[in-house]
Amino acid sequence: MRSDALETQAQNARGQSAQGRSQPDTAILFGIAAIVATFHILTNNRYGFHRDELQFLSDARHLDWGFVAYPPLTPFLERIGLSIFGLSLVGLRLFSVLAQAAAIVVTGLMARDLGGGRLAQITAALAVVLSALPMFEGTEFQYTSFDYLWWVLAAWFVIRLLKSENPRWWLAIGAVLGLGLMTKYSILFFIAGILAGMLLTQSRRYFMNRWFWGGVTLAILIFLPNLLWQVRHDFISYHFLHHIHVRDVGEGRAEGFLRYQFWICANPATAPLCIAGLIAFLRDRRYRLLGWMYLIPLALFWAGKGRSYYMAAAYPMLMAMGAATAEHWLMSLRRVWRTLIEAVFFLALAAAGAYMCAIIVPLASDGPLMKFALSNNGDLREEFGWNELVQTVAGIRDSQPPAQRDDVGVLVGNYGEAGAIELLGPRYGLPAPISMTNSAWLRGYPEPPPSTLIVIGFSRESANNAFTSCRLAGHNGNSRGIRNEESEDHPDIFLCGAPRLPWPVFWKEYQSFG
């Protein structure tokens, strides 16, 4: 009892010290976030759209309460971006940049609420800035960018709840978890960590609190439209996610889950911080819940063969607690040792961060930096070739006799091709793509269907099996000779007749998940 009281007094003293510097410290955190945001804004126009971004852009033009591959919030945000910025790389990636910037600030604020002073807050913020996955989140418009923010916000609100013992924080927790469910279903693993952690700690008392159930109700109400959409569509997203999981495991994408935790999810130099933060959470009766909020999702993802980056958003809370704990420990050392340890840590953090930055961020449009990034980053390679693809398809269409051009359709094999034709095709007068992948399949095919098809994303054998009278009409690639999925796996473009099966039967048989 006496040690708990002393620890509480120490935490209160650290908290009062941090509060005394709160405004300057907050300004520093916002300054760090602003620098990072500006950095991404200046580099986000280097190449082109990623194939995943093209899917979001396509779905943004067909808003619904659900999509096969994900919940509706991300396409909704992209629709806002489209209405404001048009097809601007920098503009459409701005929401992701802002989400990353917000996560940086919130991580610093978590360190403050856990008793950390200025050094702890800056350390925690920089640990996020220089970690691989959050760095990537600022380079593309992905649903993981917003999923990351919701996890970080939920962790901060849990800290605020446990620190203040004000149960009204459950409403804020419920709100961000509801937004998380409308962004990416994997947040269910984080929710499992919260609920199981409550059972395993003194926080179980909140199960009897009306504010907890108010938060649960709020989360369900926010998620309800998508849940009803899933019911109407026979939980099609579950079948999609099962298919993707089996594919990922089969292709080895789930290998190295534990090995990559401090390489993809965080910066290797932050490993001591994260481990110290986890131990500190588990040893602290007040904040023990947050330790389980990390361990339970980690165990579930590992047992279920999840991909390593799924845990990335759980690390900022460990970094925050680790930074606060390390700062307190450093204050007990002699100045010379304190300076040496800080120098070694920040040098290691900066070195690893710079290396990852050279891989992840499109720093250059040409030269050695570009070559290094493209040789190590498959996502960046997927940003090339879409304009050339659309131009090639338009050329094939224009090569047809004028009387037949209006009856030419463009049938695509994946969502990247569908998004490219839909978004970039109108400037060439191309029709909307015909796609059987993910939510595009639900939209059907044109009536009457075209009699001639430009077929992309099929092998020669698959095209001949599916369509009549196929002949090679062009090649899919890019002017820079960069090897990616389109140039390597789908190099040929065919001109074909109608499907061998009647259109309704063909459409049912060829539905695909990707």
Side-chain angles (χ1 to χ4, degrees):
M1 292 292 292
R2 180 176 176 80
S3 63
D4 288 345
L6 290 173
E7 176 62 24
T8 299
Q9 290 176 4
Q11 289 176 352
N12 290 337
R14 293 197 299 270
Q16 290 171 2
S17 175
Q19 291 171 5
R21 299 188 301 269
S22 61
Q23 290 184 348
D25 293 351
T26 302
I28 293 172
L29 295 177
F30 273 96
I32 293 171
I35 292 171
V36 173
T38 302
F39 174 67
H40 281 303
I41 289 171
L42 293 175
T43 56
N44 272 351
N45 63 346
R46 291 281 194 265
Y47 307 147
F49 288 112
H50 186 275
R51 66 172 58 251
D52 290 353
E53 293 178 299
L54 290 169
Q55 179 177 212
F56 289 123
L57 285 164
S58 175
D59 286 340
R61 300 182 66 176
H62 305 274
L63 289 182
D64 202 345
W65 284 113
F67 298 91
V68 170
Y70 34 67
L73 182 60
T74 310
F76 172 73
L77 293 174
E78 193 72 320
R79 179 64 172 267
I80 296 174
L82 271 172
S83 65
I84 297 173
F85 303 108
L87 283 178
S88 162
L89 280 167
V90 173
L92 291 172
R93 290 169 173 173
L94 182 60
F95 287 123
S96 293
V97 172
L98 294 176
Q100 187 208 16
I104 292 167
V105 173
V106 171
T107 303
L109 295 177
M110 279 196 283
R112 177 190 302 173
D113 284 332
L114 291 166
R118 179 172 297 173
L119 176 62
Q121 295 169 48
I122 293 174
T123 300
L126 290 178
V128 173
V129 170
L130 296 172
S131 291
L133 200 282
M135 188 184 299
F136 165 78
E137 301 300 1
T139 65
E140 292 181 3
F141 187 89
Q142 297 275 0
Y143 59 4
T144 52
S145 303
F146 309 103
D147 176 66
Y148 190 95
L149 176 60
W150 306 140
W151 281 51
V152 172
L153 278 172
W156 183 37
F157 293 156
V158 169
I159 290 170
R160 300 289 293 175
L161 164 76
L162 299 177
K163 181 178 181 179
S164 66
E165 298 188 351
N166 183 348
R168 289 178 175 84
W169 279 104
W170 281 115
L171 296 180
I173 296 167
V176 295
L177 292 178
L179 291 171
L181 289 168
M182 292 293 273
T183 303
K184 193 171 185 285
Y185 299 118
S186 60
I187 202 170
L188 285 167
F189 291 86
F190 194 49
I191 294 173
I194 295 173
L195 296 177
M198 290 172 65
L199 286 172
L200 294 170
T201 66
Q202 63 183 11
S203 297
R204 69 178 66 90
R205 69 184 187 274
Y206 286 114
F207 281 121
M208 304 303 294
N209 189 283
R210 62 190 177 96
W211 292 105
F212 168 78
W213 291 105
V216 171
T217 302
L218 183 57
I220 292 173
L221 287 175
I222 293 172
F223 178 56
L224 187 60
N226 181 245
L227 179 60
L228 295 176
W229 185 91
Q230 292 291 346
V231 171
R232 290 197 303 271
H233 292 84
D234 299 319
F235 291 93
I236 192 171
S237 294
Y238 168 78
H239 302 293
F240 166 85
L241 293 171
H242 175 72
H243 169 83
I244 295 298
H245 179 66
V246 171
R247 180 204 69 184
D248 288 349
V249 172
E251 294 179 357
R253 298 186 183 186
E255 294 177 1
F257 177 83
L258 295 176
R259 183 170 69 251
Y260 289 130
Q261 288 305 299
F262 293 119
W263 182 246
I264 293 177
C265 297
N267 182 308
T270 67
L273 281 185
C274 295
I275 294 170
L278 177 60
I279 293 172
F281 276 138
L282 294 174
R283 293 181 62 184
D284 193 312
R285 292 183 61 189
R286 171 174 289 182
Y287 295 115
R288 191 168 295 156
L289 168 59
L290 286 111
W292 292 112
M293 285 165 53
Y294 171 81
L295 289 175
I296 290 171
L298 181 75
L300 291 174
F301 281 130
W302 176 75
K305 298 186 182 299
R307 297 181 67 174
S308 57
Y309 73 86
Y310 291 173
M311 278 297 296
Y315 282 88
M317 62 184 182
L318 301 187
M319 295 171 181
M321 184 56 144
T325 303
E327 181 187 51
H328 182 62
W329 170 69
L330 284 171
M331 292 302 105
S332 67
L333 301 179
R334 292 183 178 180
R335 185 176 184 85
V336 62
W337 287 109
R338 184 165 69 245
T339 302
L340 179 61
I341 292 171
E342 290 175 3
V344 170
F345 171 78
F346 283 112
L347 283 173
L349 182 69
Y355 179 76
M356 288 185 284
C357 181
I359 294 175
I360 294 169
V361 180
L363 296 174
S365 300
D366 209 341
L369 277 176
M370 178 181 177
K371 183 178 180 181
F372 177 77
L374 294 180
S375 64
N376 290 280
N377 187 340
D379 282 305
L380 285 181
R381 293 195 294 271
E382 294 302 318
E383 297 182 4
F384 289 86
W386 300 112
N387 283 303
E388 287 103 324
L389 169 63
V390 175
Q391 291 171 3
T392 300
V393 170
I396 296 172
R397 189 275 317 272
D398 292 342
S399 69
Q400 301 306 297
Q404 298 178 16
R405 292 175 190 171
D406 290 340
D407 197 33
V408 174
V410 182
L411 191 143
V412 300
N414 63 58
Y415 58 73
E417 296 159 352
I421 298 298
E422 182 170 5
L423 275 297
L424 306 176
R427 74 180 65 169
Y428 301 98
L430 290 176
I434 304 171
S435 174
M436 298 161 289
T437 305
N438 297 347
S439 290
W441 180 81
L442 298 173
R443 298 165 199 150
Y445 51 87
E447 290 286 359
S451 59
T452 303
L453 294 169
I454 300 172
V455 177
I456 318 165
F458 283 65
S459 67
R460 182 184 293 274
E461 181 181 4
S462 298
N464 285 328
N465 288 338
F467 308 101
T468 59
S469 307
C470 287
R471 66 176 178 84
L472 183 65
H475 295 283
N476 187 7
N478 56 83
S479 58
R480 308 191 74 150
I482 293 167
R483 296 184 175 184
N484 55 24
E485 181 177 331
E486 291 302 307
S487 66
E488 294 291 298
D489 298 340
H490 318 297
D492 298 326
I493 302 174
F494 303 96
L495 190 67
C496 303
R500 296 186 180 276
L501 298 172
W503 271 96
V505 179
F506 167 77
W507 202 252
K508 183 177 180 180
E509 291 291 328
Y510 278 82
Q511 178 189 9
S512 64
F513 291 141

